[in-house]
Structure formats: C-alpha cells, structure tokens
Amino acid sequence: MKRLGITGGIGSGKSTVSRLLRQSGIPVYDSDSEAKRLMHTLLRQPIEQLFGSQAYEDENLNRKYIASQVFCNPELLNRLNAIVHPAVGEDFERWAEEQSDEVPFVALESAILFESGFDSRVDVTLLVDAPIEERIRRTVLRDGSSPDEVRARIAHQNTELAQTKADYVIHNHTESALAEQVNSLYINLKQLWK
Ligand code: ATP
C-alpha cells in the first residue's frame, strides 16, 4: 500500500486537504489526534514517569503543565518525543496494514512529518502552504486565539525542512484552488501507483 505524507505549518490547511482526500475515499491517519489518544492510554505510564503525576488531571492529559515543562527544556522535549513518536509511528504502521487493498493509497497527516522522521514511513510527501497572514487570519477565526498568539506558535514551528524536502507543494490561497490541486494530486498519485 502506497503512502502519502501531508505536512504544513499552523493554519496552512493540512486538515482541509485531509478532509478532501477522505471525501475521495482515501483513508487519512491524523497523527496529532492519534498521538493524543495514545498519550491517554498506552503512553500514560511512561509520561507520568517523566513528568510526575501532575502530567494528568483527572483522566485528562495536563497539556498546559507539560507545555510549560518542555518550553525551556529541549532535553525534556526530546525525551517526551522519544516516547510519543515511535509509538505513533508503530500505530500508523498497524493502521496502514488494516486498510483495504482496494484504496489507491493511504495518507498520514503530521505537522512535524520531517522533524519526527515520519517521512521515512511514507512514499511521497506533500507540503500545504499558504501566505502567512492568511494562515494567521484562518487560525484566529478557527480557534478564537489572538493574532499574536498565532504568530508566536508559528515562530515556534520550523517549516524549513518541509520547504526543501517535500515532493509536492499545494498552495492554499482559496478554497476552489485548493480543491482543484488536491484533485489533480489525487489523480496523479492514482496514476503513478496503479
Ligand atoms: P493546524 O496545524 O493548526 O491544525 P491545519 O494546517 O490543519 O492547521 P486547517 O485546520 O485545515 O489547517 O485550516 C485552518 C482553518 O482555515 C480551518 O478553519 C479551515 O477551515 C480554514 N481554511 C483552510 N483552507 C482555507 C481556504 N482555502 N479558504 C478559507 N479557509 C480555509
């Protein structure tokens, strides 16, 4: 089963691309939400070992506490990533195995496709890109956060790797242009992998 990796910065339109692909029958693994699921189940014990019992509040992951701990501590962030990334990678492999042979390909969506090494688990990679002011505007609309908060989150992300390494780029300027590009990528990949 061939695999497409989808990446892009905050508000670039990754999830929108994933939704369009799903509408065409392509199963998409959302690594962000699957990582959250794993952190509530399989990974709870190692995460509590690393951060202490404060890592969970009631049954929920205390994201604020964890974010505050790793914010100025890259070593701790590396150790958290060393717990989460391999588990998500293995879960993706299991999921991919379970998908029907009838679909032309499957996809993996990850904001950190290259940084996490997930790119090695896919055959081709796609960067979803949009003008930065547009990304801020869309994210503010979606999350209700302030433009400055979104700018700070963007500044924290490193999209250079994806800019240089991605096999395909989709420019998400408008919704109709996006749908057209996703459709032609879908047709190209179907042709390539038939
Ligand atoms: P994040 O990494 O923050 O989850 P993302 O890359 O998955 O973001 P989306 O959630 O797909 O981005 O898009 C951000 C917001 O912008 C969403 O509310 C989405 O509906 C909207 N959006 C995406 N593409 C367009 C577009 N071409 N025109 C207008 N709105 C758009």
Side-chain angles (χ1 to χ4, degrees):
M1 176 72 66
K2 295 291 187 184
R3 298 149 174 216
L4 165 70
I6 305 166
T7 194
I10 293 160
S12 58
K14 297 178 294 296
S15 305
T16 309
V17 168
S18 296
R19 179 172 53 76
L20 291 167
L21 285 171
R22 284 192 189 102
Q23 282 169 7
S24 298
I26 301 301
V28 184
Y29 183 93
D30 175 0
S31 51
D32 195 32
S33 61
E34 297 301 338
K36 278 182 199 149
R37 177 181 58 78
L38 291 169
M39 288 169 92
H40 280 99
T41 52
L42 197 68
L43 302 178
R44 178 166 179 160
Q45 199 194 355
I47 289 173
E48 275 183 336
Q49 250 165 23
L50 188 59
F51 291 95
S53 56
Q54 277 174 284
Y56 290 82
E57 225 174 19
D58 303 324
E59 283 310 296
N60 296 316
L61 186 70
N62 189 344
R63 294 175 74 80
K64 260 198 179 147
Y65 176 74
I66 291 181
S68 70
Q69 296 296 297
V70 299
F71 193 69
C72 295
N73 190 339
E75 174 52 29
L76 197 56
L77 177 61
N78 285 341
R79 287 170 68 189
L80 174 63
N81 287 343
I83 294 171
V84 178
H85 292 175
V88 174
E90 282 161 29
D91 190 66
F92 168 67
E93 295 296 338
R94 260 195 308 275
W95 172 90
E97 289 296 313
E98 285 166 6
Q99 302 311 306
S100 155
D101 287 337
E102 302 297 311
V103 297
F105 59 93
V106 299
L108 161 74
E109 177 192 332
S110 169
I112 49 169
L113 185 72
F114 292 98
E115 295 77 1
S116 61
F118 289 161
D119 59 316
S120 65
R121 298 184 184 272
V122 296
D123 299 282
V124 298
T125 55
L126 165 69
L127 170 67
V128 185
D129 204 7
I132 194 146
E133 287 308 318
E134 195 55 30
R135 287 169 53 200
I136 294 167
R137 195 186 64 78
R138 290 172 189 166
T139 308
V140 165
L141 264 180
R142 186 193 60 189
D143 298 348
S145 31
S146 76
D148 281 346
E149 275 168 356
V150 180
R151 276 196 191 91
R153 281 164 62 199
I154 289 177
H156 218 69
Q157 276 190 334
N158 178 3
T159 46
E160 261 167 49
L161 263 182
Q163 297 279 358
T164 53
K165 290 179 108 177
D167 300 306
Y168 296 89
V169 180
I170 277 184
H171 299 283
N172 181 14
H173 297 281
T174 64
E175 243 163 305
S176 59
L178 181 69
E180 225 168 87
Q181 292 171 81
V182 172
N183 190 43
S184 58
L185 177 70
Y186 168 77
I187 290 167
N188 279 346
L189 292 180
K190 227 171 123 172
Q191 189 68 21
L192 183 70
W193 289 330
K194 77 172 181 211

